[in-house]
Amino acid sequence: EVQLVESGGGLVQPGGSLRLSCAASGFTFSSYDMNWVRQAPGKGLEWVSYITSGSSTTFYADSVKGRFTISRDNAKDSLYLQMNSLRAEDTAVYYCARDGPTYRHWGQGALVTVSS
Amino acid sequence: EIVMTQSPATLSVSPGERVTLSCRASQSVSNNLAWYQQKPGQAPRLLIYGPSTRATGIPARFSGSGSGTEFTLTISSLQSEDFAVYYCQQYNNWPPITFGQGTRLEIK
């Protein structure tokens, strides 16, 4: 069974940093592209970032470009999102999602709250 | 960036009814359109892609159609478990991937 488990969320002050992790199991992680998708409280879905299976290509939404960095460690079956210079508008549940560009498998999400 | 617009924002329907949700793209996305269902406190679930192929395990009462800029998701006979928020997503021209703002199905 495919499982994706996010961790690392929490409360951070504006301008701060946070690193999200997504632990994958139940499939060959190194064979799949991965993504981060977020959802602000009470709002819709927003694609954040994408990384290919071998990390050769990454894409970012304009709203996070230059502040967020997606990465992965295939030896550890893990996906990461390093978030710097956080803003109030980055407050959201962050989901990791497998595949692309349609997402068949999602994690349960990690809540990031940016507030002073 | 392709803007996806869903209508209506909220739909009040009774169990057993047939319902059609609409999604419009600001420019053609060919057949590269997907639908997701999201229930409160849960991650989205892929329902339909391509735009008429049901994902694994999705009941036959869900169907998708359309091409270019106009798409629909039809639920032939609403079950209690279908009351949720539905999102369309284009993947024809990315990045960025873009989603519609969602249609909430609520019980009348």
Side-chain angles (χ1 to χ4, degrees), chain A residues 35 37 39 42-47 50 59-62 95 100-104 106-109, chain B residues 1 34 36 38 41-46 49 55 87 89 91 94-101 104:
Chain A
N35 305 262
V37 178
Q39 186 170 36
K43 302 298 184 182
L45 301 169
E46 180 187 16
W47 169 81
Y50 161 89
F59 295 134
Y60 298 92
D62 285 345
Y95 296 100
T102 57
Y103 310 123
R104 287 164 174 74
W106 299 66
Q108 86 289 349
Chain B
E1 173 177 322
Y36 296 82
Q38 188 179 31
Q42 296 184 15
R45 177 173 70 147
L46 178 66
Y49 60 95
Y87 294 95
Q89 173 218 352
Y91 52 96
W94 68 284
I97 295 287
T98 50
F99 294 88
Q101 81 281 14
R104 180 181 306 277

Side-chain angles (χ1 to χ4, degrees), chain A residues 38-46 88-94 111, chain B residues 87:
Chain A
R38 69 184 180 182
Q39 186 170 36
K43 302 298 184 182
L45 301 169
E46 180 187 16
E89 55 265 34
D90 295 319
T91 294
V93 173
Y94 285 74
L111 177 62
Chain B
Y87 294 95

